[in-house]
Amino acid sequence: MTKVKTGIIGVGFIGEEHLKALRAHESVEVIGIADQSTDLAAARSRQYGVPFYTDPIALMEEARPDYVTICTPHFSHTSFAIEAMRRGIHVLVEKPLTVSASAADECLRVMRETGMKLGVGYLQRLRTAHRKVYDLVQSGFVGRIQRVTMVRTAWFRSMAYHRSNPWRGTWKGEGGGILVNQAPHDLDLLVWTAGLPSEVLVEMGTLGHDIEVEDDVCAVLKWANGATGTLHVSTNEAPGRSFYEIAGTKGTLRLEDGCVTATALAVDSHEFSETTQERMVPPPTGGEMLFRQPPEPVEFSTLPGMHANFAAALREGAPLVCSAEEALQEVELANAMLLSGVTRQWVQVPVDRAEYDRVLEELMATRSLEAYKAKRAGR
């Protein structure tokens, strides 16, 4: 079987993880890499035995890959994705799809115009435990969702991490902190399994690092069906927690440390409430199931599967692990949370594009979340 050909744009930390994942891949071959650093590109070229380019456009036009894998800083995702699609090249982009919903809108517009495929690397969707939560929700196991609780504070990052690249921890370089860097995995899991909230209220700050952007976010969430939820993400906490729970009228799902606990009710709680003569006795449970995720040898062990899926999408029309339309929902939520965090007001989802873009420009000019919040408070 002839392998699908990809070119990797950006071969820093995450780009190299893709190179490792594709070194002996059964369906995908790396035919070129590109990076703005000639030294880094040359070193990766020697190490992995692939041609290198210092210009991503040259990679697209000379190597002509079937798709490019974009692993560059967040703001450049939009331009590289559009350049590739306009040249008839499909795109797999690292999370997030874009920094802003308005930029995501433009990517989707070009995708539809060109007919190219645009996928986003939310590789945690391929984890066994995460897929189990999704499948159980889709099966109706929890009934109507009433509450969602997520605590993801196992993202500890030191100042050495932020100093490792000049764009890290800055508004101009990253477009945000944990909301656009680490937590997109968590926000994607939430909207994938529980749906996109309709409204958010957020308290956020820079609590543990000398950086411009947010490193701690606490949110209250509302859904259109009346469900409510809370979410807390942080890069400051140690030891951190990884906890996610969905409670519905028919049961509860709990995901923690790769283990899913599914507790079913014997009868729908709303129906029970309407018919029981008991005043304070809850409905009986109908049993509990435990699903444990197989141990993963390395953090990025699902990357080969992500590329295998993209190759299957090109060859056979298989559905993408995460389409651009789905990835837009995560961007919507992240944008709404940032807006709420600086305005300290409830923010509707979908987000107001013009307002978000204006606030982001002001944050880039101020270069400090805390200074910007203080400035707004003094208005």
Side-chain angles (χ1 to χ4, degrees):
M1 179 177 66
T2 303
K3 292 186 177 183
V4 174
K5 296 175 172 56
T6 190
I8 298 179
I9 301 175
V11 288
F13 170 73
I14 192 62
E16 186 179 20
E17 293 299 330
H18 283 265
L19 279 167
K20 292 175 184 176
L22 295 171
R23 186 155 30 188
H25 203 280
E26 62 180 15
S27 57
V28 179
E29 175 188 4
V30 180
I31 61 169
I33 59 176
D35 198 280
Q36 64 179 0
S37 168
T38 303
D39 290 344
L40 179 60
R44 297 281 193 253
S45 174
R46 290 190 298 270
Q47 183 178 359
Y48 293 95
V50 294
F52 78 91
Y53 302 78
T54 54
D55 179 9
I57 303 302
L59 167 64
M60 297 177 200
E61 295 184 343
E62 295 175 24
R64 295 302 303 172
D66 298 305
Y67 72 99
V68 291
T69 304
I70 300 174
C71 303
T72 55
H74 310 132
F75 275 116
S76 61
H77 289 184
T78 306
S79 59
F80 287 142
I82 289 174
E83 291 285 359
M85 289 188 289
R86 290 204 184 282
R87 286 169 171 78
I89 299 170
H90 303 283
V91 175
L92 176 62
V93 62
E94 261 294 335
K95 58 78 188 166
L97 170 58
T98 56
V99 171
S100 67
S102 59
D105 291 341
E106 181 64 10
C107 285
L108 266 69
R109 184 183 67 79
V110 175
M111 177 194 73
R112 291 167 183 143
E113 283 181 359
T114 60
M116 294 295 101
K117 291 191 182 296
L118 175 58
V120 183
Y122 283 108
L123 53 89
Q124 292 194 15
R125 288 191 178 202
L126 292 172
R127 289 187 172 181
T128 305
H130 292 196
R131 171 59 65 174
K132 178 60 70 174
V133 171
Y134 174 81
D135 288 343
L136 285 170
V137 171
Q138 292 298 305
S139 74
F141 179 88
V142 300
R144 179 174 62 83
I145 294 175
Q146 300 181 125
R147 173 183 60 81
V148 175
T149 303
M150 177 179 279
V151 176
R152 281 288 279 124
T153 58
W155 289 118
F156 183 84
R157 295 293 186 270
S158 68
M159 279 306 300
Y161 168 84
H162 290 290
R163 295 187 189 110
S164 66
N165 272 300
W167 54 269
R168 291 196 185 279
T170 67
W171 289 107
K172 285 187 177 180
E174 285 199 274
I178 190 170
L179 284 176
V180 297
N181 196 326
Q182 293 82 26
H185 285 299
D186 308 317
L187 302 187
D188 177 67
L189 175 63
L190 188 145
V191 299
W192 183 46
T193 54
L196 183 64
S198 58
E199 201 171 357
V200 299
L201 179 65
V202 171
E203 179 65 32
M204 71 180 189
T206 311
L207 305 185
H209 301 90
D210 183 17
I211 56 177
E212 298 177 10
V213 296
E214 82 285 352
D215 61 13
D216 189 275
V217 178
C218 184
V220 179
L221 313 170
K222 291 182 183 178
W223 278 261
N225 73 341
T228 57
T230 58
L231 178 147
H232 199 137
V233 293
S234 177
T235 57
N236 299 311
E237 197 172 307
R241 289 286 306 279
S242 178
F243 176 85
Y244 182 42
E245 189 170 68
I246 302 175
T249 57
K250 293 183 178 180
T252 300
L253 297 174
R254 182 181 298 110
L255 169 64
E256 186 166 17
D257 298 327
C259 183
V260 180
T261 304
T263 305
L265 296 178
V267 60
D268 183 286
S269 62
H270 181 72
E271 294 176 10
F272 180 83
S273 176
E274 291 293 323
T275 58
T276 184
Q277 298 304 306
E278 299 289 347
R279 292 185 294 173
M280 294 182 288
V281 177
T285 60
E288 188 171 88
M289 298 178 288
L290 191 67
F291 306 93
R292 189 170 296 279
Q293 178 174 290
E296 293 181 293
V298 292
E299 183 179 359
F300 298 100
S301 60
T302 53
L303 268 179
M306 181 66 67
H307 283 278
N309 166 258
F310 202 83
L314 298 189
R315 279 202 173 110
E316 307 147 19
L320 293 170
V321 169
C322 182
S323 68
E325 291 89 349
E326 292 176 287
L328 171 60
Q329 293 194 322
E330 184 279 320
V331 178
E332 291 273 15
L333 181 55
N335 284 187
M337 290 174 68
L338 187 142
L339 259 185
S340 178
V342 297
T343 63
R344 296 187 171 179
Q345 296 177 346
W346 284 97
V347 170
Q348 302 290 320
V349 182
V351 72
D352 182 315
R353 270 72 167 148
E355 183 182 8
Y356 177 83
D357 290 346
R358 177 181 56 78
V359 166
L360 184 57
E361 287 289 337
E362 292 173 354
L363 283 163
M364 287 191 284
T366 306
R367 299 181 62 184
S368 166
L369 171 62
E370 297 303 326
Y372 182 73
K373 289 195 302 183
K375 181 180 177 181
R376 286 189 66 98
R379 286 181 179 177

